[in-house]
Structures are given as C-alpha cells and as structure tokens.
Amino acid sequence: MQSFVSMEEAFGLIGDVVQDRLTLIEQVTLSDAVNRYVAEPVVAQLSIPPHTNSARDGFALSTEQSLRASRGEVIPIAMEIRAGDSPDQLPADDSAGCVQIMTGAPVPPWATHIAMVEDTEQLSAGIRVARLSPEGMWIRHVGSDIRAGEAILAPGRRVLPEHIQALASSGVTRVSVHRLPKVAVCSTGEELVQLDAGTPGPGQIYDSNRPFMAAMLTNFGCDLVVNQHVGDSLEEMTGYIKDAMAAEADLVVSSGAVSMGNYDFVKPALEAIGAELIFHKVTQKPGKPLLFARLPNGALYFGLPGNPVSTVVNCRFYVHYALTGMQQRPPESPLKLRLAHDFEKQQGQALFLKAIVRRGKGGAMVEALDGQESFETAPLLKMNGWIVLSEHVGSMSAGDLVSFFPASPRGLPDIF
Ligand code: AMP
Ligand code: MG
C-alpha cells in the first residue's frame, strides 16, 4: 500500500484498478438508453436516407427535360409520386414526361433536377418552369447522412435524446450500455443522529454525509444497493463490507473512521476481510486521509474521511473518476478560467477550493470563497464549482489561469 500519494498519483492508481472492473453490459431499448453510457459500438443497420429522395415538393426532371423547360417549353407530367411510394413504381425513363414529386418521395434514377412547386405553373398539358434549381439540388442521396454498417456511437458516449433521431432512422432498436453501477454507502460514528430520529442530544450531530452521498451517487447514475449507518466498531464495519459484497456492489463507500483516531475502524476492517489496500492519504486539502482499496471480490472501496467537505470533494472527484472509468468514459477535463484575486499557497499539497465563477467584463472570472475549512458547509450553498490546484503550484496572482470543475460534472454552471 502507498501512503501520502499526490492527487495525480491517486487518480493514476484508481484509473489502473478500474480497467479490471468495468460495469457489466445490458441491452436496452432506445428510450431506456438515454443518459446511459454506450458499452459496445453502435452500428447503423440502414443507410440514411435509405433511398434517394426529394427534399422539396415539386417536379423531377431529366437533363433533357430541364433543357426544354429552361427554353420555356411545357413538360407533361407522367405521374405523381408520394412519400412512402416504392422506387419500383417509378417510370423507367423520362419518355412519358416528368414526375410530380412530394418531399421524401423516391427520385427516379434518371432525374437530375427538382423544380420546386412554387417555381412552376401548372397547365392542363403539363408544367412550365419559371425558375429551375441547379442540377442535383433538393436531391437527397442514399447514405449521404449515415451509411449502413457505419459505427455511429463509440463506447463511453452518453446517449442523449437527440441521438435517438439517428439511431431510430438507421434501424438501431436496442443499444448495448453499461449497467448502472451498484454502489453501497455507509456513514460511521457514534456521534451521528439520523434525520428522522429527532433532535441530536448533547455531543451529537446530524448525519449529513449519508444523505449527501446517497444523493450525489444517485445523481451520478448509480444504483444504491446498501445504505446504512455503522457504529464505531470493527464488527459493524466488517459487517457492512460483507453486506456490500453480498449485494454485489461494484463500488463500496464509507464516510469517517479512516484517520488516526482510536475508533477509526475502516482500515482494520479491510485488513480483516483480506482487501488489497492500494493507497491511504493523499497530499491534498481537504480530505487528506482518503483510502482506496480493492475487496476480495474485485469491488472497489473508497474510505472517505468524515468531515462534510472532505466527503464532498472525495466523492465529487475520486469516486466520480472511478465511476467514469468503469463506464469507459473519457476523464473529465477542467475549464481554464482566470482567477479574480491573488491567492497564497504552499507547494506540496493539492487544494480543492469551493469557488464561484461569475461573468466579468473581460469574460468569466473565478473566485475562491471564504470558509475553506473542511467542516465549513455554508460556502457549498454559494459555490458553483471547484478550483483545483495541483501540489506542484505555489501562490497565484489575479488573472492567472486555474482549473475549474463545475459542481455538477454533468453541467456547466448557470452563467454559461
Ligand atoms: P472522522 O473522519 O470519523 O474522524 O470524522 C471527522 C469529522 O467529521 C468529525 O467531526 C465527525 O463528527 C464528522 N463526521 C463524520 N461523519 C459524519 C457524518 N456522516 N455527517 C456529518 N459529520 C460527520
Ligand atoms: Mg468518526
């Protein structure tokens, strides 16, 4: 096990382990696939368009007919063809005249021009064309949008409602996606009172980490299979880990009991169960005592320190990073934004700063909020994201570019 790893090393170690623990795959319908992550390449079954068709209501003419029409001659109409008519019904050549055609109807192979209805005059003997569109205009060719057999969505892509247009049109009815990751959460600590259990007594506090973790992980698209409070004892802690393994959790999370106190039972419980400890303690603030392990059944384990902001940072960044990798998604990358003020910092420790990005005269400016201690939750109500500073950087000046991650990895702050 490694101790005191850097933020970058911690992400690297998690990334390596996650390769062996991709979430399982399932086939779902298009509507169920929305917001899920593609697990196997999605291949178009049909070309779009499936047949060469007209983009306008009008008349399909051959080159010869269009030459005559441009000289002012009346062109007879051989037949009318509608969207949904088979290309087999089309006249084999232009000998009987042009074809009146509706948007989406198949274009005869001999037709080179479409004259729009509004550019023609209909007479009893046929049509006179006032304005002829250039050759090929308003003809949508088979496969010009998507070709049958083409891979159209790669693994790791999140399926969006807009994608359904191309998927449905190209004959894809089911998509192979990652199953929702199964996640177990627990809070630890004898001082904790559950929200529905009445007012905390002397020395007690409400359990805020557990409802937080449940909310954030559900928001990340996880299936919560275990959600419990655990007392500060080795037996209860090992009992939780066994419950999580029995529930086949892909990822097991605990808050608290991972530091240097006499009741910090997470590490002893993991050792008792035969887990592989990968790292403990990251040179960062907040959330330094973060622990990462692999359970005997291959599930990933995150021991998050209990201070509320430590739990938020480690869940938002490291647990989210693992969930991203498990579903083959590319890692998040930060926005680079200008700092609104000078900022003093020592090298040797990474910082996650509660921050707010605002529109300024010269573009977006980001500001670290007051109250950066790991117990200070009021700034969480004001912030719209995090400034993340590597341990390799020192003090910064106003106007310097810094990495900014939105509070919700799924969306930019409201100002954008
Ligand atoms: P620990 O990591 O268990 O040493 O806890 C560190 C600090 O976070 C202590 O002040 C705890 O009381 C507090 N804490 C631990 N777990 C929770 C929780 N679930 N909700 C709110 N505060 C907590
Ligand atoms: Mg504790």
Side-chain angles (χ1 to χ4, degrees), residues 86-348:
S86 165
D88 300 342
Q89 292 167 244
L90 295 166
D93 55 45
D94 67 347
S95 54
C98 69
V99 166
Q100 181 158 21
I101 198 164
M102 308 300 144
T103 302
V107 172
W110 46 261
T112 53
H113 289 73
I114 304 287
M116 295 196 288
V117 173
E118 48 271 51
D119 294 339
T120 60
E121 187 189 345
Q122 294 195 44
L123 309 164
S124 53
I127 52 157
R128 184 170 284 133
V129 180
R131 204 166 59 94
L132 197 64
S133 307
E135 179 173 344
M137 194 178 241
W138 315 129
I139 299 178
R140 305 189 285 212
H141 288 280
V142 58
S144 58
D145 184 16
I146 288 177
R147 293 200 164 276
E150 199 181 315
I152 52 176
L153 275 185
R157 290 289 304 279
R158 181 150 69 104
V159 180
L160 301 176
E162 295 88 317
H163 298 168
I164 291 181
Q165 288 287 6
L167 299 175
S169 303
S170 66
V172 174
T173 55
R174 295 175 86 77
V175 180
S176 169
V177 294
H178 284 279
R179 261 182 24 191
L180 295 185
K182 291 186 183 180
V183 173
V185 295
C186 83
S187 55
T188 68
E190 300 294 348
E191 74 276 33
L192 301 179
V193 173
Q194 301 308 307
L195 287 179
D196 55 3
T199 319
Q204 295 185 317
I205 56 170
Y206 275 125
D207 182 352
S208 59
N209 286 344
R210 197 154 71 94
F212 157 75
M213 291 186 292
M216 183 169 264
L217 292 166
T218 305
N219 218 20
F220 287 168
C222 297
D223 179 11
L224 230 59
V225 291
V226 179
N227 181 359
Q228 49 182 250
H229 171 254
V230 167
D232 285 324
S233 79
L234 184 61
E235 294 68 35
E236 283 195 54
M237 201 59 224
T238 48
Y240 164 67
I241 300 172
K242 284 179 184 162
D243 286 353
M245 289 200 291
E248 296 178 347
D250 299 297
L251 209 142
V252 185
V253 186
S254 59
S255 83
V258 80
S259 312
M260 305 297 286
N262 292 343
Y263 301 97
D264 288 343
F265 285 115
V266 169
K267 202 163 154 219
L270 287 166
E271 283 162 348
I273 251 162
E276 178 196 354
L277 299 176
I278 295 165
F279 66 76
H280 188 196
K281 301 193 177 94
V282 182
T283 48
Q284 65 176 27
K285 195 177 164 197
K288 181 175 81 174
L290 176 66
L291 182 148
F292 179 57
R294 179 159 40 193
L295 298 181
N297 69 356
L300 310 184
Y301 191 98
F302 281 95
L304 316 181
N307 271 305
V309 183
S310 306
T311 301
V312 174
V313 162
N314 287 320
C315 197
R316 161 67 182 83
F317 287 94
Y318 295 101
V319 177
H320 179 259
Y321 183 80
L323 289 166
T324 298
M326 288 162 86
Q327 297 179 85
Q328 296 174 281
R329 295 158 54 193
E332 252 184 292
S333 44
L335 299 172
K336 292 286 183 185
L337 297 177
R338 296 205 181 278
L339 199 55
H341 49 78
D342 295 347
F343 186 79
E344 257 184 58
K345 176 184 181 297
Q346 304 282 319
Q347 288 194 14

